[in-house]
Amino acid sequence: MQFKEFVCSAVMEVLYRAVHVLSSSDSRIMKEVATLDHGAVYSIAASPSPKSPRLTVMVKDGMIEKVKTDKYDVEIIFKSIPAAFRVFTGQMSVAGAYAAHAFYLSGSINAAMGFVRIVDIAESCLFPKLITRRILTKVYRREEPMLLTYIKLPFYGKKAQQKG
């Protein structure tokens, strides 16, 4: 695995864990998750290559759970590892990547935007304002201290469940 692929994979894991942690403690994430269809599967891939890092999650019981499946309701595929790397390392915002046509989207754009809002809120809780101001169109106020979120991350790494 190349360095940029490794970084993309690591960031996806941290984002997943943060969303999982915050979906039980952050009221805005709980609200956004409640608007997503129960059982819907969302996937983000770092490139079109089948071997590229991929995060696949499902909305289940008001939570976001990692799953293993190849059927997605919403799929975001970055056009290249370098494009994904720029987004995952905060060099480019998701809005900037959308404007630059740096990824493909299949599925409902409304559902994708709900999922992206969840990720944006999680990033606001993970990163200092210096970084979030640069990569997010809106910086969300933290509902719990950033340090507490980081302390919880290692304990929320449930194995992916098989689906379908």
Side-chain angles (χ1 to χ4, degrees):
M1 183 181 286
Q2 300 279 334
F3 173 74
K4 288 183 179 182
E5 288 175 316
F6 174 77
V7 170
C8 289
S9 180
V11 171
M12 284 186 213
E13 181 64 22
V14 169
L15 274 176
Y16 162 69
R17 289 177 184 226
V19 167
H20 191 78
V21 165
L22 295 166
S23 65
S24 62
S25 65
D26 188 289
S27 63
R28 295 152 312 180
I29 289 184
M30 287 187 271
K31 181 180 171 186
E32 286 292 340
V33 170
T35 66
L36 301 177
D37 291 337
H38 180 78
V41 176
Y42 298 82
S43 186
I44 302 172
S47 81
S49 168
K51 293 184 179 185
S52 75
R54 177 180 289 272
L55 173 64
T56 305
V57 298
M58 180 173 65
V59 179
K60 183 178 175 187
D61 301 326
M63 299 288 284
I64 302 287
E65 298 286 339
K66 195 185 291 188
V67 293
K68 289 182 181 179
T69 185
D70 57 357
K71 296 179 183 181
Y72 321 110
D73 296 294
V74 174
E75 184 179 29
I76 298 168
I77 303 173
F78 285 92
K79 290 184 177 180
S80 67
I81 294 290
F85 181 80
R86 284 192 300 277
V87 171
F88 289 133
T89 57
Q91 298 173 43
M92 178 188 286
S93 68
V94 173
Y98 179 77
H101 304 284
F103 61 83
Y104 304 103
L105 171 67
S106 64
S108 164
I109 192 163
N110 288 335
M113 291 309 299
F115 185 69
V116 168
R117 275 191 301 276
I118 290 169
V119 171
D120 284 354
I121 295 166
E123 287 177 344
S124 285
C125 295
L126 286 174
F127 305 127
K129 285 184 184 171
L130 178 70
I131 294 172
T132 55
R133 270 187 287 185
R134 203 166 41 101
I135 62 171
L136 300 177
T137 54
K138 178 181 179 182
V139 178
Y140 297 87
R141 180 185 53 77
R142 291 186 193 99
E143 290 188 1
E144 69 178 36
M146 186 168 54
L147 181 61
L148 183 59
T149 303
Y150 274 104
I151 289 170
K152 292 179 181 179
L153 291 183
F155 305 105
Y156 283 85
K158 292 183 178 180
K159 284 193 163 216
Q161 301 171 1
Q162 196 73 29
K163 182 184 187 264

